[in-house]
Amino acid sequence: MRPRIGVTAWHHHDGQEQWEFIRDNYTRAISAAGGLPLILPIAAEPDLVADLVGTLDGLLLTGGEDVHPSFYGEAVQEKCGPIDETRDRFEIGLTRAALARELPVLGICRGMQVLNVACGGTLYQDLAYRSETERHHTGVKEDRARRIHPVRILPGTRLREILGLEEAAVTSTHHQVIRRMAPGFRPAAQAPDGVLEGMERAEDPFALAVQWHPERLAPADAAQLSLFRALVEAAAKRARR
Ligand SMILES: [Mn+2]
């Protein structure tokens, strides 16, 4: 049996009914890496969170809206983007439950921000609130797979070991960034303007996140696919315990 990787979903309301959905490049990347992707419902009930985590070997936190600033002790500022508090509450609970059960977690874009907030870190609600930022992180709407800026992969990190690269050109479609990194994590990648583009826990369980979108690059870029392989391999190890 392939390791079972939970993949978080988005809400969409069409005016009549609410949907749960996700772009298929996430689930395809998990399949290509040898995992079994399982799209998760946005379950508001805490007992469902525990049961869901109990069925998984690993967790992929996907991109999406901004995390409500109340989850890191702030009021909403002017430049904060769209928020889905139900999804936030679910994903923060899910992340904490997964890590408590020592499941490996990979966070992507919003997923990195969710992981950071779930573990006690904070965010800048918009790049404009971080004075040193060059505004080249929000990307191009028509071509979300475009490589927008380079990142330096820091030496001595898991991320460097996984990617096998000192530098990579990456996508960038985010307008929020990590402010204070959660305790227990270390920086793993940085943009030229110092924006944190990757973070990881030094210790097990595997908890690693990137601010870019490896799922958009993985079909044509083996190094980016290896991020999903690392998650699936860690999940396989967890499943054997
Ligand atoms: Mn960026």
Side-chain angles (χ1 to χ4, degrees):
M1 171 113 182
R2 287 168 170 237
R4 298 160 298 183
I5 309 295
V7 181
T8 55
W10 299 54
H11 270 145
H12 163 66
H13 207 284
D14 66 8
Q16 255 190 56
E17 294 172 297
Q18 184 148 269
W19 300 54
E20 295 170 317
F21 74 107
I22 189 68
R23 285 187 283 110
D24 73 351
N25 45 17
Y26 289 109
T27 50
R28 283 174 194 275
I30 294 293
S31 302
L36 175 65
L38 296 172
I39 300 171
L40 301 177
I42 303 171
E45 306 84 345
D47 62 315
L48 287 189
V49 170
D51 285 353
L52 278 175
V53 166
T55 67
L56 301 176
D57 303 310
L59 178 63
L60 174 63
L61 298 169
T62 60
E65 309 87 339
D66 292 350
V67 176
H68 197 296
S70 66
F71 291 103
Y72 48 93
E74 287 182 16
V76 177
Q77 290 175 292
E78 194 192 333
K79 289 179 189 292
C80 191
I83 289 169
D84 178 348
E85 255 189 282
T86 308
R87 183 180 175 191
D88 294 340
R89 192 165 294 108
F90 168 63
E91 290 188 358
I92 288 169
L94 182 74
T95 303
R96 288 177 180 158
L99 291 173
R101 286 181 58 101
E102 303 192 349
L103 295 188
V105 177
L106 174 64
I108 292 177
C109 200
R110 162 190 165 86
M112 170 157 151
Q113 297 163 7
V114 167
L115 179 64
N116 191 51
V117 170
C119 294
T122 67
L123 308 176
Y124 283 103
Q125 292 184 34
D126 186 85
L127 286 160
Y129 301 128
R130 182 184 181 276
S131 53
E132 311 86 344
T133 309
E134 301 163 31
R135 294 206 52 121
H136 62 187
H137 290 275
T138 45
V140 187
K141 265 206 171 74
E142 308 74 50
D143 183 7
R144 287 178 295 189
R146 189 182 298 177
R147 296 176 194 255
I148 300 289
H149 64 68
V151 290
R152 197 163 66 87
I153 316 298
L154 303 179
T157 60
R158 279 191 192 220
L159 187 63
R160 171 77 77 98
E161 204 180 302
I162 293 165
L163 293 174
L165 300 168
E166 291 177 23
E167 201 179 277
V170 296
T171 60
S172 193
T173 54
H174 59 105
H175 83 107
Q176 294 198 329
V177 293
I178 304 300
R179 184 169 195 165
R180 195 184 69 235
M181 203 171 38
F185 284 81
R186 65 185 176 198
Q190 252 179 351
D193 58 3
V195 161
L196 193 68
E197 291 276 344
M199 56 184 269
E200 61 183 34
R201 274 206 338 200
E203 311 294 328
D204 280 335
F206 175 102
L208 188 151
V210 293
Q211 191 59 72
W212 69 87
H213 282 278
E215 80 284 3
R216 290 184 177 131
L217 304 172
D221 185 333
Q224 298 294 331
L225 180 61
S226 66
L227 271 168
F228 299 92
R229 281 195 207 286
L231 171 66
V232 170
E233 276 164 26
K237 222 165 94 185
R238 174 66 181 79
R240 284 195 296 269
R241 279 177 31 197

